[in-house]
Amino acid sequence: MAVDDGARTVTVTPGRAAQELELGRDEFRLAVQLGLVRTVSAGESGRRRVERAELDRLRSAPDFPAGLRDRVHAIGTAEAAALLEISPERFTRLARTGHVSPVRFSLNRYRAVVWTYLAEDVATLGRACPALLSGRLPAELRERLAAHEDLRPRNWRARRLGVLLRATDDPWAQAAAMASMLDPVQVAEVVDDPYERAHLDRLRPPEPPGTPVRAPARDIAERLARADDPDEILWHRLSLALALDEARSRRPAPHPGDAGPLREGEEPPGARVPVRVRRQPVLTAAPSLPPGRSGPPARSAPPPVSTPPGPFLVPAARLAGIEPPPSRTAARAGLLARLRRRRAGGGGRVGGRKRPMSWP
């Protein structure tokens, strides 16, 4: 448990919150993703915590804890079909035609996609469309199924995007959530500025929970997380363009040299630095020996070299030709020092890049 001295707000860890809400780990994570449990940022580490007031609000509900547990109860295809008293094949057809949206997915040992649904959504389907539970499906649905239509990935992406957009009020973070639904080539076509693309990449939301680590299964998960239908791609491109206009109107993306315009006669920082230049003596050629005389020639002393009285300014563009490159030992020592400072700073996500936006 932690206490914010500024607002005197008591927060608890997700594990402690799940225990007090009588939820399992997956159920609590799903409750956070659906917005049923509100979390707050826990500083620059990117971790989220739950306020004590939020726990009190949920625990004071008249149907606690059964009501909260029912709202995050996720089931598979077999359980959903049993709940509706239909065959699993018929429920799969209804899900493929978009009558119920999956809440998450996973890959089994054969790399087949296993979709999971909210039991509450499945029960709502049974109450709203009882005619689809028995008899022959309408001709329109049969034609769509014959064309191999499958709206489950698209509906899952739409639900995930809604969760990400509700998690933040920052316009640039919302634009980054929309950009995460598109292929990088599509994002580059919409966002011309490379610095804006880099800013969106820094704010990119994390991968969905349960994303595989190994390459073959990871490729399948990445394809499911990105739009593949032409209409869906066009929709996300237009949404990203509108979100960028809104974000730019609030504040521009960070660019190099954003310290402000220079005054007249002022040079940018680092343009000139004091460097002492060591003048090399000029060597003269040794005189030739007279005929018939052997032995090493006498070396003539080099002429005196005048050394400047002190350090003087040299343009930064010429420094590369003056200072010798660092040795390999010095470069290795500098790299180790940077790694130690980065590790001592703590936080950050895997890959060495610190995420400025904390997502649920």
Side-chain angles (χ1 to χ4, degrees):
M1 183 166 23
V3 180
D4 185 2
D5 294 336
R8 305 303 300 174
T9 302
V10 181
T11 59
V12 300
T13 61
R16 176 69 178 274
Q19 183 179 2
E20 295 192 14
L21 295 176
E22 301 182 20
L23 296 176
R25 178 180 301 179
D26 293 338
E27 292 176 336
F28 178 80
R29 183 184 298 129
L30 187 57
V32 172
Q33 294 175 5
L34 297 176
L36 300 177
V37 179
R38 295 189 294 263
T39 60
V40 295
S41 177
E44 297 181 356
S45 62
R47 299 178 179 177
R48 314 270 310 176
R49 300 176 69 93
V50 183
E51 295 182 352
R52 173 60 60 182
E54 177 70 5
L55 297 179
D56 296 339
R57 181 186 68 85
L58 295 171
R59 292 173 60 90
S60 62
D63 58 349
F64 178 83
L68 180 60
R69 191 179 296 115
D70 291 341
R71 288 191 291 271
V72 296
H73 181 45
I75 56 179
T77 299
E79 295 178 82
L83 181 62
L84 297 178
E85 298 180 355
I86 59 177
S87 64
E89 292 77 11
R90 191 179 187 91
F91 176 80
T92 301
R93 297 189 188 101
L94 296 178
R96 289 180 56 186
T97 52
H99 289 83
V100 59
S101 300
V103 70
R104 62 188 177 192
F105 73 91
S106 60
L107 300 178
N108 60 12
R109 52 165 40 172
Y110 306 105
R111 300 174 191 165
V113 182
V114 179
W115 295 102
T116 306
Y117 310 86
L118 288 178
E120 188 176 18
D121 294 347
V122 175
T124 302
L125 171 64
R127 294 190 298 265
C129 305
L132 298 178
L133 304 182
S134 60
R136 195 176 186 186
L137 292 176
E140 179 187 359
L141 297 184
R142 296 199 304 270
E143 293 176 0
R144 291 164 58 185
L145 291 172
H148 304 285
E149 182 182 85
D150 191 354
L151 296 181
R152 290 175 295 180
R154 181 171 182 173
N155 289 339
W156 172 79
R157 287 190 293 265
R159 167 169 269 173
R160 170 170 166 79
L161 180 59
V163 171
L164 295 176
L165 294 179
R166 289 192 301 267
T168 178
D169 295 330
D170 182 17
W172 281 104
Q174 292 180 348
M178 298 177 186
S180 66
M181 300 290 154
L182 293 172
D183 187 86
V185 177
Q186 302 285 343
V187 176
E189 293 179 356
V190 178
V191 188
D192 299 332
D193 192 341
Y195 299 107
E196 290 183 347
R197 292 199 301 270
H199 188 49
L200 294 177
D201 187 65
R202 285 192 296 267
L203 298 176
R204 177 179 293 271
E207 298 173 344
T211 301
V213 178
R214 296 186 178 181
R218 187 182 185 86
D219 294 341
I220 298 175
E222 289 180 352
R223 287 197 300 267
L224 290 174
R226 293 173 180 171
D228 55 358
D229 186 77
D231 293 338
E232 184 185 7
I233 293 175
L234 178 60
W235 173 261
H236 287 308
R237 285 171 63 103
L238 294 176
S239 301
L240 177 58
L242 295 176
L244 283 176
D245 293 339
E246 175 67 19
R248 291 164 182 161
S249 64
R250 300 283 188 88
R251 67 178 185 277
H255 285 65
D258 281 347
L262 298 176
R263 293 188 294 271
E264 184 177 357
E266 183 182 1
E267 294 187 358
R272 291 181 180 270
V273 293
V275 177
R276 184 183 298 275
V277 181
R278 179 176 298 177
R279 302 293 183 90
Q280 297 294 335
V282 180
L283 301 179
T284 59
S288 58
L289 295 175
R293 185 175 178 179
S294 61
R299 296 184 180 179
S300 59
V305 179
S306 60
T307 305
F312 56 94
L313 297 178
V314 179
R318 297 175 54 191
L319 293 180
I322 296 175
E323 295 185 356
S327 62
R328 182 174 300 179
T329 304
R332 186 182 296 111
L335 177 59
L336 291 177
R338 289 195 299 271
L339 291 176
R340 292 191 186 99
R341 288 195 300 268
R342 181 178 301 175
R343 180 172 297 179
R349 71 185 186 95
V350 178
R353 186 182 65 188
K354 194 172 184 180
R355 184 176 303 281
M357 170 63 198
S358 58
W359 296 94

